[in-house]
Every structure is written in C-alpha cells, then in structure tokens.
Amino acid sequence: NNPETVLKHYIAGSEKSATLELTAYFEEFNKKLVIDSTESSKSISIGQCKSADSPQPLALMSKFSPDCKKPEGCLFCKHYAIHADEVDLKKLLSFKYVIEQTRPLATSNEHYQDLYNPVISRIENAIDEINSSKFITENMQKRVKQEVYEFELLDQFWARKLQMLVDLELI
C-alpha cells in the first residue's frame, strides 16, 4: 500500500471506531454521574465515591485503571459520582487547573496530551454535567471558575498539592 491508501482507509476506520467507543463510554459514564446529596457517598478530592475501596472499571477501553488512591483512577470507576453543586465543581476545576500547571513537567507536548487528554476530557464531561443541571446557576459557574483560574482560590486539597509542587520547585 502507498501512504495515501493507508491514510484513506485505515486511519479513518480507527477514528470512526474510536469515536464509537468514546460515545459508548461517555453514555455509560453519564449514567448516575450526578447524584443527589441524599444518596450515600463519600466525599473525595474530585467529587464523590458511591462505594469506597471497591474500584470497578467503567469500561474496558480505558487506559486508566480504577484506583481509589489516584484521582484520575476515580474518574474511570463505576462508583465515581458528583453532586451538582459549587463544592464538587470547584474540586473538578481545581484538579484541572493543577494538571494544566504541570504541563512543563512533561517530556513533550505529545507526552502531556497522551497522558492527560483522557483525564481532562473526563473532568470536562463531569463539569458539563454539573453546569447543565438545574441546581447551579450560570453566575455560580462563572464565579467558581473565576475563583480557580483568576484568583487561584482552589479547593483546599488541590491548593495543598499545588503548593507542594511550587515548594519542590517543580512548577
């Protein structure tokens, strides 16, 4: 095969199958993502956990394994959930902000994107679910985002993580 044939027939197929897999993944991800504050859950650094210390994969396609010790592992767990409120929105925005601040630590832009794009996509998906709920106003959304991104008023957990990275002179 010449390069044009490969690009035309094989890459398109893989993009199409990847899109279908991601669509299925997000559909499953969004089921029961936003939970009511009356539902039993444990507060975690990026939202809520409906069944602590019993991680289960959300989908087989993820390169991230569910792991209760890593926030990115929680995003890919069936038990991950969020409350549609300012607290969980701030947690997610703070996590995303810290990830973005660590970009210079990656060996290359491709390394950073390969490692963090799936995580950032899941964070943005969860934020979209909070923002589209009827429980938080557009003004609240804007204010929380401004607090995090303009004034660096992060969730307490993420503020400590960011400070640790600064103290270690990593960022």
Side-chain angles (χ1 to χ4, degrees), residues 41-88:
S41 66
K42 176 184 174 187
S43 181
I44 58 174
S45 65
I46 57 168
Q48 307 296 315
C49 180
K50 297 185 285 185
S51 184
D53 299 320
S54 60
Q56 291 184 353
L58 183 58
L60 297 174
M61 63 166 269
S62 175
K63 70 178 186 177
F64 290 94
S65 298
D67 185 345
C68 297
K69 294 180 176 111
K70 298 178 183 175
E72 61 274 12
C74 292
L75 288 171
F76 298 91
C77 178
K78 284 186 177 186
H79 302 300
Y80 175 68
I82 49 175
H83 291 148
D85 62 15
E86 289 183 58
V87 174
D88 282 358

Side-chain angles (χ1 to χ4, degrees), residues 7 21 24 26 44 47 53 71 74-75 82 84 94 99 111 117 119 134 136 144 154-155 157 167:
L7 289 172
E21 288 175 3
F26 276 122
I44 58 174
D53 299 320
C74 292
L75 288 171
I82 49 175
S94 297
I99 289 172
H111 173 249
N117 274 358
V119 174
K134 62 183 180 210
I136 189 165
V144 172
L154 279 59
D155 170 76
F157 177 87
D167 291 345

